Amino acid sequence: MKRIFLSVAVAAVLVSCSSSSSGKVEKMTNEMCSCFNKINDSLPPESLKLFNDVATADNAGEAYMNGLKQIPEAVLLKMNAALMMVAKPGTAVKTCLEDMDKKYKSIGGEKVEITRKMVDVLKKRKDSECNLMLALMRIELEKQEKGKK
């Protein structure tokens, strides 16, 4: 279950960003951050702390899996429900991501390269406002890069 809800959230990010060029990556990334922030209020404090820790960890995937072990099952269920809003039709975050997909659809790019650029944009931010998205994107980038080896 833990992997399933994370995968749904990451897949939604990548569907929305899988067609972007470097010229618009920063703008698109910041807009996408605004989409993801629509679920922050639905996430339990423990999961927000987890995503903040994962966003800055040396190994995002490992930090995420280790962090999940520290969160009670009831909190994980709430976290799961919040993350599933990313894929649920009619939710504010899903609608926002669909609008972004339409807006950036005409631009091309390679998935790993785009993900890396988005992670770089998010890392440069001086605030922690986009740490949920940064954590998800870092985990996905680690998986993509392992898959290329």
Side-chain angles (χ1 to χ4, degrees), residues 38-39 84-96 98:
K38 295 179 185 310
I39 65 170
M84 292 302 284
M85 287 192 296
V86 171
K88 185 177 179 184
T91 62
V93 64
K94 174 73 171 173
T95 301
C96 184
E98 287 172 342

Side-chain angles (χ1 to χ4, degrees), residues 120-135:
D120 289 344
V121 168
L122 292 168
K123 282 181 173 180
K124 290 177 187 173
R125 290 182 65 110
K126 302 290 186 227
D127 57 37
S128 60
E129 185 178 314
C130 295
N131 278 357
L132 169 61
M133 186 175 150
L134 176 56

Side-chain angles (χ1 to χ4, degrees), residues 62-124:
E62 185 178 306
Y64 178 74
M65 295 309 292
N66 289 336
L68 284 178
K69 294 174 188 172
Q70 306 304 315
I71 298 177
E73 188 69 27
V75 175
L76 289 174
L77 291 172
K78 290 178 185 175
M79 180 175 147
N80 181 30
L83 290 173
M84 292 302 284
M85 287 192 296
V86 171
K88 185 177 179 184
T91 62
V93 64
K94 174 73 171 173
T95 301
C96 184
L97 290 170
E98 287 172 342
D99 291 345
M100 284 194 57
D101 189 39
K102 291 174 193 167
K103 184 175 181 178
Y104 294 100
K105 189 173 278 264
S106 64
I107 312 162
E110 197 267 322
K111 188 175 173 179
V112 176
E113 175 190 337
I114 293 165
T115 306
R116 190 175 296 115
K117 288 178 182 178
M118 291 179 75
V119 165
D120 289 344
V121 168
L122 292 168
K123 282 181 173 180
K124 290 177 187 173

